[in-house]
Amino acid sequence: MRRKEQMENTGKRFSKRDAWLLAAAALVILVVFVIFRQFSGGSGSTVTVTVGGEVYGTYSLDEDQKIDIKINGTVTNVLVIRDHQADMTEADCPDQLCVRQKAISKDHETIVCLPNQVVAEVSNPNGENELDDVAN
Amino acid sequence: MSKKKNIAFMGVFLALALVCSYVESLIPFYFGIPGMKLGLTNIVIIIILYCMGTKEAYCLSVLRVILAGFLFGNMFSILYSMAGAMLSLTVMYLLKKTGKFKIVTVSTLGGICHNIGQLTVASFVVENYYVFYYLPFLLIAGFITGLLIGIGAQEISLRVKRFF
């Protein structure tokens, strides 16, 4: 009975067309991945914190510091810069997704705290550094 | 299927979807990339889509997102889960409607679209488009989780379909 059922089901699971569509999807993802890699990867020098789309402050990644991000007078998030990396260490939201996220240091990398609408983004204002890095 | 039986089935499946959401919130499936999830509830949604119908799948998906958001998340998680769930379900429905693809493929594309929808809303909420930096990683994650969930859903639906 079981054997018979399995026989009936073969061919219901996967077809050539499925393979083609999956391969196409995989290819698109690969292309997106390569394109995005091209545009990023350079190391950044500053981290910009925005709250609700407005710039809260810009900080250098070169000096170790602890930034308390205050919204309406209360500290909601704490961003720590150490060893040229920015890491969100505290947040008052329940999900703590931004805290668990890894530290950022590359150009355009971001840490996002959705509940508080806080974004920390690494940027490289003096772009010529990147060329120097390549030359070195 | 009679209306009464339908309602009872929907209740059971909604409970099942919520349990899946809860189980998922317990698993520390996390690799430093925001918004990455296994998407266990998608198994339930796919089975509903294939065994009961489109209307039922949409209904269940909306209820699931709202209830899970109140139970395990917050306002924002409802907002971006909803965007992901709706985009993913719409794509899955359209792919299913063509009748050319198997559940595995439908689920994989659904997984990818879920992450695209989620990321789009997230970037609007924080008004920062560099959030799309994570797009390639989320696409890969969506592909892999969608594929795994699809294989699971396929096996379950082949065995369960005759009960409907």
Side-chain angles (χ1 to χ4, degrees):
Chain A
M1 177 66 201
R2 178 162 265 250
R3 169 70 51 94
K4 195 183 159 205
E5 222 170 78
Q6 278 176 355
M7 289 290 282
E8 277 171 9
N9 287 341
T10 21
K12 286 185 191 169
R13 290 182 173 82
F14 206 68
S15 71
K16 223 173 202 172
R17 245 186 307 225
D18 291 279
W20 278 114
L21 188 61
L22 286 181
L27 193 72
V28 169
I29 291 172
L30 197 73
V31 168
V32 170
F33 197 84
V34 169
I35 291 172
F36 272 64
R37 284 280 93 169
Q38 289 292 312
F39 280 109
S40 61
S43 58
S45 56
T46 60
V47 59
T48 304
V49 176
T50 56
V51 177
E54 282 173 35
V55 175
Y56 182 88
T58 301
Y59 312 91
S60 171
L61 281 175
D62 294 331
E63 50 186 296
D64 292 359
Q65 52 188 314
K66 181 168 163 270
I67 303 147
D68 294 329
I69 299 160
K70 288 182 194 151
I71 300 175
N72 300 327
T74 48
V75 178
T76 58
N77 298 67
V78 177
L79 187 75
V80 170
I81 297 174
R82 190 182 300 141
D83 302 329
H84 301 278
Q85 289 191 320
D87 192 18
M88 196 78 85
T89 54
E90 277 172 49
D92 64 354
C93 55
D95 58 16
Q96 299 286 308
L97 282 179
C98 56
V99 176
R100 281 189 283 163
Q101 209 182 316
K102 64 179 169 34
I104 54 171
S105 61
K106 290 212 173 74
D107 201 10
H108 294 326
E109 270 190 314
T110 52
I111 295 180
V112 177
C113 175
L114 270 183
N116 295 332
Q117 289 179 265
V118 170
V119 180
E121 183 193 332
V122 175
S123 53
N124 195 12
N126 31 346
E128 65 269 19
N129 278 357
E130 211 168 316
L131 287 178
D132 288 347
D133 285 349
V134 174
N136 289 338
Chain B
M1 194 188 297
S2 74
K3 203 172 179 194
K4 263 186 222 156
K5 200 177 162 196
N6 216 337
I7 290 169
F9 261 116
M10 288 289 282
V12 171
F13 277 116
L14 180 59
L16 188 60
L18 284 174
V19 168
C20 286
S21 293
Y22 177 62
V23 168
E24 201 170 63
S25 73
L26 294 178
I27 303 171
F29 182 75
Y30 200 80
F31 299 108
I33 289 160
M36 219 157 115
K37 263 189 350 191
L38 191 52
L40 269 181
T41 32
N42 214 23
I43 288 192
V44 182
I45 303 291
I46 290 170
I47 287 166
I48 296 287
L49 183 66
Y50 272 83
C51 298
M52 289 179 81
T54 313
K55 228 182 354 181
E56 284 83 357
Y58 271 100
C59 177
L60 197 91
S61 187
V62 170
L63 288 173
R64 201 279 303 179
V65 168
I66 293 171
L67 288 175
F70 277 125
L71 287 170
F72 320 114
N74 50 53
M75 225 12 242
F76 284 102
S77 65
I78 292 179
L79 199 68
Y80 64 97
S81 295
M82 190 68 92
M86 288 302 108
L87 185 68
S88 146
L89 188 51
T90 305
V91 167
M92 290 198 295
Y93 162 63
L94 292 174
L95 277 177
K96 177 188 172 254
K97 211 179 156 198
T98 64
K100 288 178 179 156
F101 301 105
K102 300 286 188 286
I103 296 182
V104 179
T105 315
V106 171
S107 165
T108 307
L109 273 285
I112 295 169
C113 290
H114 189 281
N115 285 350
I116 294 174
Q118 222 171 329
L119 200 61
T120 308
V121 166
S123 75
F124 276 122
V125 168
V126 296
E127 292 174 40
N128 181 319
Y129 302 102
Y130 284 120
V131 178
F132 276 98
Y133 177 86
Y134 293 107
L135 183 69
F137 303 103
L138 283 171
L139 289 181
I140 294 170
F143 189 95
I144 296 168
T145 57
L147 193 71
L148 293 175
I149 293 298
I151 292 168
Q154 177 109 72
E155 295 305 316
I156 293 171
S157 107
L158 285 174
R159 284 163 177 75
V160 135
K161 207 156 191 174
R162 59 197 158 108
F163 297 114
F164 284 88

